[in-house]
């Protein structure tokens, strides 16, 4: 309510101050006073015209200010438009006033109103500009504080979660040595799981080479295949990526996990990762069963955490498209390295 009131009262205050300044600058040297005698009626008409014309003038200044801040125009362009448009607005307003009075507009009456208008419009525009800059700074400070709080919360959660991988890692080593050496399959599975946990535990936060992340995904897919049905049709392709490219780790594992978790129907998973022009493309699709089709489209906590991490790590350098069709679930994640 206060914002709406300020929005519509600002032109009124601007018009009143402008009219008063013009009258003082024009009439006092001539010893002419609108507030005396028969001139009072003309003064009220003039004030009404200036008031009506002040609304488009003020809204134009605000619109131009937003446009300049958005496009980041040079200062001389920004103020130049204001200075050049003010005389036109003043001339048009004076013409309307003279027309209502039944008097032709005399060009000798324009210099003083134009100079006063340019000064007041300039002051008012600077005031609006400072207000907008202050609001932008406050918004940036709030966003910065929010990011810091999110980072602290993330760090705290990570420190709390470290206990569980360490414990599980030690348990796996114990189980590994308890298995007979002849049972190569379970020992190999535990080795793979230990490598995955080691990667997850010691590569949290800092960037890693893309090739290391690909190797981690290959091992993770290998473990997922052990518990997958024989009906599963799996197609996986990873580009050979040189060691110069780095990425934040564990951004794809939740997507791969969901694919193996919810695969159904004709049981197929297609996965492709390629690097083109410094952009890492990751495409994943899996068929879904009818029971999942009937459920509401609701993303799990893994997808939500992935989106939040991408926003923090690659705020302007990623696209994530997730589509759920009748029998197919597709994900397209592109990251600019």
């Amino acid at each position: 309510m206060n914002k709406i009131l300020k929005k519509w009262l600002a032109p009124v205050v601007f018009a009143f101050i402008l009219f008063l300044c013009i009258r003082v600058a024009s009439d006092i040297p001539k010893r002419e006073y609108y507030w005396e005698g028969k001139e009072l009626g003309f003064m009220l008409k003039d004030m009404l015209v200036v008031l009506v014309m002040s609304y488009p003038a003020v809204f134009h200044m605000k619109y131009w200010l937003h446009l300049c801040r958005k496009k980041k125009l040079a200062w001389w362009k920004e103020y130049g438009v204001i200075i050049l448009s003010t005389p036109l607005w003043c001339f048009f307003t004076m013409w309307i006033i003279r027309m209502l009075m039944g008097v032709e507009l005399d060009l000798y009456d324009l210099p003083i109103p134009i100079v006063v208008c340019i000064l007041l419009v300039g002051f008012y525009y600077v005031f609006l500009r400072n207000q907008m800059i202050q609001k932008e700074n406050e918004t940036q400070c709030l966003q910065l504080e929010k990011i810091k709080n999110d980072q602290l919360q993330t760090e705290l959660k990570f420190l709390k979660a470290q206990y569980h991988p360490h414990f599980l890692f030690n348990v796996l080593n114990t189980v590994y040595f308890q298995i007979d050496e002849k049972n190569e399959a379970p020992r190999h599975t535990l080795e793979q799981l230990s490598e995955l946990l080691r990667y997850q535990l010691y590569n949290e936060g800092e960037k890693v080479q893309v090739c290391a992340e690909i190797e981690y995904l290959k091992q993770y897919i290998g473990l997922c295949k052990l518990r997958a049905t024989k009906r599963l049709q799996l197609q996986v392709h990873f580009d050979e990526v040189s060691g110069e490219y780095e990425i934040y780790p564990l951004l794809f594992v939740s997507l791969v996990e969901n694919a193996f978790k919810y695969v159904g129907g004709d049981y197929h998973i297609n996965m492709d990762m390629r690097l083109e022009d410094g952009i890492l493309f990751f495409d994943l699709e899996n068929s879904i069963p009818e029971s999942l089709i009937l459920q509401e489209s609701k993303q799990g906590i893994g997808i939500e955490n992935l989106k939040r991490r991408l926003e923090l790590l690659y705020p302007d350098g990623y696209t994530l498209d997730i589509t759920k069709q009748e029998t197919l679930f597709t994900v397209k994640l592109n990251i600019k390295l």
Side-chain angles (χ1 to χ4, degrees):
M1 184 64 182
N2 291 334
K3 290 183 179 180
I4 298 176
L5 191 62
K6 289 180 181 178
K7 178 180 178 181
W8 292 100
L9 281 181
V12 176
V13 177
F14 173 76
F16 178 77
I17 297 176
L18 177 61
F19 181 81
L20 183 62
C21 290
I22 292 176
R23 291 268 58 92
V24 169
S26 300
D27 299 341
I28 289 181
K30 299 179 182 179
R31 297 182 181 277
E32 296 177 356
Y33 308 107
Y34 261 40
W35 52 86
E36 292 182 352
K38 298 180 181 179
E39 303 295 336
L40 181 60
F42 291 114
M43 183 186 71
L44 295 177
K45 290 181 180 179
D46 292 354
M47 286 186 63
L48 182 61
V49 173
V50 175
L51 175 61
V52 173
M53 294 298 296
S54 67
Y55 278 94
V58 171
F59 292 151
H60 168 261
M61 283 189 284
K62 291 182 177 180
Y63 172 77
W64 178 247
L65 178 58
H66 282 283
L67 189 64
C68 292
R69 298 297 295 175
K70 182 179 180 181
K71 294 189 175 182
K72 298 181 179 179
L73 296 181
W75 67 268
W76 60 271
K77 292 182 179 179
E78 180 179 354
Y79 287 100
V81 170
I82 295 296
I83 294 174
L84 293 176
S85 61
T86 300
L88 297 176
W89 174 84
C90 183
F91 173 81
F92 189 61
T93 304
M94 291 287 292
W95 177 78
I96 294 176
I97 291 174
R98 295 299 186 183
M99 184 180 64
L100 293 176
M101 294 174 62
V103 180
E104 292 185 1
L105 179 62
D106 191 347
L107 295 180
Y108 290 100
D109 295 333
L110 289 175
I112 292 178
I114 287 178
V115 172
V116 173
C117 284
I118 290 177
L119 291 175
L120 285 180
V121 168
F123 284 132
Y124 187 64
Y125 186 80
V126 171
F127 172 74
L128 292 176
R129 195 173 189 272
N130 290 337
Q131 269 195 328
M132 179 170 287
I133 293 175
Q134 183 179 359
K135 289 182 180 178
E136 290 176 352
N137 291 336
E138 290 176 354
T139 302
Q140 290 178 356
C141 289
L142 290 175
Q143 290 178 347
L144 183 61
E145 289 297 326
K146 187 176 184 302
I147 291 175
K148 288 182 178 179
N149 290 333
D150 289 341
Q151 290 176 340
L152 289 175
Q153 291 296 327
T154 302
E155 183 179 359
L156 179 60
K157 290 180 180 179
F158 171 66
L159 292 175
K160 290 181 178 179
Q162 275 189 321
Y163 167 77
H164 300 287
H166 274 299
F167 174 76
L168 185 57
F169 189 76
N170 293 331
V171 171
L172 287 176
N173 286 334
T174 302
V175 175
Y176 176 83
F177 289 107
Q178 288 180 342
I179 298 176
D180 192 281
E181 295 183 359
K182 297 180 180 179
N183 297 328
E184 296 183 0
R187 289 173 69 93
H188 179 66
T189 301
L190 287 178
E191 287 178 357
Q192 286 183 302
L193 184 56
S194 297
E195 289 298 323
L196 293 178
L197 288 174
R198 183 180 289 108
Y199 181 89
Q200 181 176 342
L201 186 60
Y202 297 109
N203 291 290
E204 179 71 24
E206 299 296 330
K207 283 187 175 181
V208 298
Q209 294 182 349
V210 175
C211 55
E213 181 72 7
I214 291 176
E215 187 61 30
Y216 167 79
L217 290 175
K218 288 180 179 179
Q219 294 183 5
Y220 186 84
I221 292 171
L223 281 180
C224 292
K225 287 169 60 177
L226 295 176
R227 59 185 182 86
T229 176
K230 294 182 179 179
R231 295 173 54 193
L232 178 64
Q233 304 173 42
L234 179 63
Q235 293 185 355
V236 179
H237 172 261
F238 291 102
D239 266 359
E240 293 293 333
V241 181
S242 62
E244 62 178 312
Y245 291 100
E246 293 185 338
I247 193 173
Y248 286 99
L250 307 173
L251 293 175
F252 307 97
V253 64
S254 59
L255 301 176
V256 176
E257 179 185 4
N258 282 349
F260 279 94
K261 181 178 180 180
Y262 295 109
V263 65
D266 59 2
Y267 282 92
H268 80 269
I269 298 177
N270 297 331
M271 198 179 310
D272 178 70
M273 181 179 288
R274 62 192 185 279
L275 182 66
E276 298 178 3
D277 299 326
I279 300 178
L280 189 64
F281 295 87
F282 181 72
D283 299 333
L284 177 64
E285 67 174 32
N286 63 276
S287 57
I288 53 178
E290 294 182 0
S291 58
L292 191 62
I293 298 174
L294 298 177
Q295 295 179 10
E296 295 183 358
S297 178
K298 185 177 181 181
Q299 298 174 355
I301 189 172
I303 299 296
E304 294 300 327
N305 289 341
L306 171 62
K307 288 182 177 180
R308 186 58 183 154
R309 287 193 67 201
L310 289 170
E311 290 175 0
L312 293 174
L313 301 175
Y314 298 95
D316 300 315
Y318 84 96
T319 58
L320 176 62
D321 296 323
I322 300 176
T323 306
K324 183 179 180 182
Q325 301 175 351
E326 292 185 356
T327 59
L328 196 65
F329 190 85
T330 60
V331 179
K332 294 182 180 294
L333 174 58
N334 305 332
I335 301 176
K336 185 177 181 180
L337 303 181

